[in-house]
Amino acid sequence: MNRLLVMLIWMMTIGFAASAPGQGTSPRRTVPPRSRLYKLEELTRLQIDALDRQRTLFILPLGMIEQHGPHLPVGADTFGVMFEANGAAGRVTRALPDWNVVMMPAVHYGHSGANTLGDRLVDPGTYAIRQSTLRSLVADLGGQVARNGFKWIFVMNGHGAPTHNIAINEACDFVSEKFHVTMLHLSGLFRADGAIQSNGERINARHFSSVELSAFGMDVHAGVSETAGMLAVRPDLVRSTYKTLPARAGHSLEELREIATAPDWQGYLSAPAKATAAYGRAVEAWWIDGFTDLILRTVRGEDMFTHARIPAAVPPAVAPVLEKALASEAAYGADLEEWLQQGRTR
């Protein structure tokens, strides 16, 4: 046997002996990767377990699959919030070099698509889950993070339906109180923060005149801002027909309901034809700035549980249609439970 082969065998034997767990020894803890910004799904359990429990924060992005008119993809909410979450995560990592930031995989499904505003509980572009399912899903994920000893969980949400947001608020509050951790719905805080909203108004004023802004009405779904955001984030998914869409401006929830219940409603509000990529980039930067600010204020000691969140409750103008949707969900859930009780005959 030549000397090189003998040496290789000897090195392999030593290496195996050093790595094999021997009797009376305990497994070594694996050090986390060098980077401070991680994707949860790419880590091993040992790498996660090695993260500092006090200086690691988790970010959970929540999107939605819902119709967004004839010009935007049904995943627009998810594309937007993922862009914002990634931007904020990078900013936080640079601001807190001794902290770890773990990005959780996005949840693509939420509650109550915009079609419910028009009394349409089912729409070929919307794939929603029950409010109770969303509440449980967010609480389950946050609870797992907390039960593993981590203290900071931040939810970023791209969908505006009141019942969707209320479910997230409730899940975050439950996890925070049950496990004595901080789990916050950042989007609800963002929408209620006066300073952040003032910054948004200044962005609007830089891009549009007061007359234009008034003509847009309540820009809550697939209108100027969402179309602009997609032009900035995923322009390849925006249909060029947005430039030809007539304005559908409503200045109150009652007016929005009137637009949405019309037989020819195309699934958008406001004036998507006025959207620009430049405005979209400014809006996305505003969200990233706001999310970053809220996270840093929280980990530096500010009590965000004393701050207002939007929405605090379902607006009366849309309460009847949302109650109808919740009743339909309850009936569906009852059907499922009855089927399970009957022994799943198929």
Side-chain angles (χ1 to χ4, degrees):
M1 187 178 294
N2 66 54
R3 295 173 59 186
L4 178 58
L5 181 57
V6 171
M7 183 174 293
L8 286 172
I9 294 174
W10 178 79
M11 290 175 65
M12 291 172 64
T13 303
I14 294 299
F16 176 79
S19 62
Q23 189 174 13
T25 64
S26 58
R28 294 183 299 174
R29 290 173 64 88
T30 300
V31 297
R34 291 183 180 180
S35 171
R36 294 289 184 178
L37 175 57
Y38 317 124
K39 292 182 179 180
L40 178 62
E41 67 271 25
E42 295 180 355
L43 299 176
T44 68
R45 65 175 299 275
L46 293 177
Q47 289 173 319
I48 298 168
D49 194 34
L51 297 173
D52 186 336
R53 297 306 197 265
Q54 303 298 326
R55 291 179 175 269
T56 297
L57 61 89
F58 283 70
I59 293 176
L60 174 60
L62 298 179
M64 179 63 175
I65 302 297
E66 65 169 337
Q67 64 84 6
H68 271 78
H71 61 298
L72 295 181
V74 298
D77 290 348
T78 305
F79 289 123
V81 77
M82 280 302 301
F83 182 85
E84 294 150 12
N86 285 322
R91 294 270 300 278
V92 169
T93 303
R94 293 189 292 273
L96 302 173
D98 296 330
W99 284 63
N100 307 300
V101 177
V102 179
M103 182 72 70
M104 303 180 74
V107 174
H108 291 258
Y109 300 97
H111 180 255
S112 185
N115 45 284
T116 59
L117 188 63
D119 285 331
R120 299 174 177 89
L121 297 184
V122 177
D123 185 277
T126 297
Y127 299 87
I129 57 179
R130 286 173 280 160
Q131 187 191 40
S132 58
T133 303
L134 175 64
R135 184 190 300 112
S136 296
L137 176 60
V138 177
D140 287 352
L141 293 174
Q144 288 290 311
V145 174
R147 291 166 70 185
N148 274 304
F150 297 101
K151 308 299 183 184
W152 309 92
I153 310 146
F154 297 97
V155 179
M156 299 179 185
N157 161 47
H159 181 49
T163 47
H164 172 95
N165 284 266
I166 289 170
I168 299 170
N169 287 341
E170 292 169 344
C172 289
D173 290 348
F174 167 75
V175 171
S176 296
E177 294 178 17
K178 174 71 174 177
F179 300 106
H180 306 290
V181 299
T182 297
M183 184 173 183
L184 291 174
H185 178 201
L186 292 185
S187 302
L189 293 167
F190 180 101
R191 294 185 175 100
D193 188 285
I196 292 175
Q197 294 306 306
S198 293
N199 290 337
E201 292 171 4
R202 285 192 285 272
I203 291 170
N204 291 341
R206 286 200 298 270
H207 288 265
F208 303 105
S209 69
S210 58
V211 173
E212 287 175 314
L213 291 171
S214 177
F216 296 161
M218 296 178 67
D219 185 24
V220 297
H221 181 69
V224 183
S225 59
E226 277 200 290
T227 304
M230 284 300 296
L231 286 171
V233 174
R234 289 297 305 271
D236 57 307
L237 296 179
V238 180
R239 278 59 177 178
S240 60
T241 53
Y242 82 91
K243 300 175 184 178
T244 66
L245 295 175
R248 293 287 183 263
H251 294 84
S252 67
L253 287 175
E254 290 81 3
E255 291 184 4
L256 295 183
R257 285 270 294 138
E258 184 177 348
I259 295 169
T261 54
D264 61 346
W265 187 48
Q266 292 183 273
Y268 70 91
L269 298 164
S270 187
K274 297 294 184 179
T276 66
Y279 177 56
R281 287 190 291 270
V283 169
E284 293 300 330
W286 171 58
W287 278 96
I288 291 170
D289 289 345
F291 281 152
T292 303
D293 176 63
L294 290 168
I295 291 173
L296 294 179
R297 286 160 58 188
T298 301
V299 300
R300 288 168 177 167
E302 188 170 342
D303 184 2
M304 291 296 174
F305 293 103
T306 64
H307 290 236
R309 295 178 303 201
I310 292 179
V314 174
V318 295
V321 66
L322 293 177
E323 288 173 2
K324 179 180 177 181
L326 291 174
S328 176
E329 292 178 10
Y332 184 85
D335 287 344
L336 174 59
E337 289 301 319
E338 181 181 2
W339 181 80
L340 291 169
Q341 291 297 325
Q342 289 176 350
R344 298 171 292 190
T345 55
R346 288 190 178 183

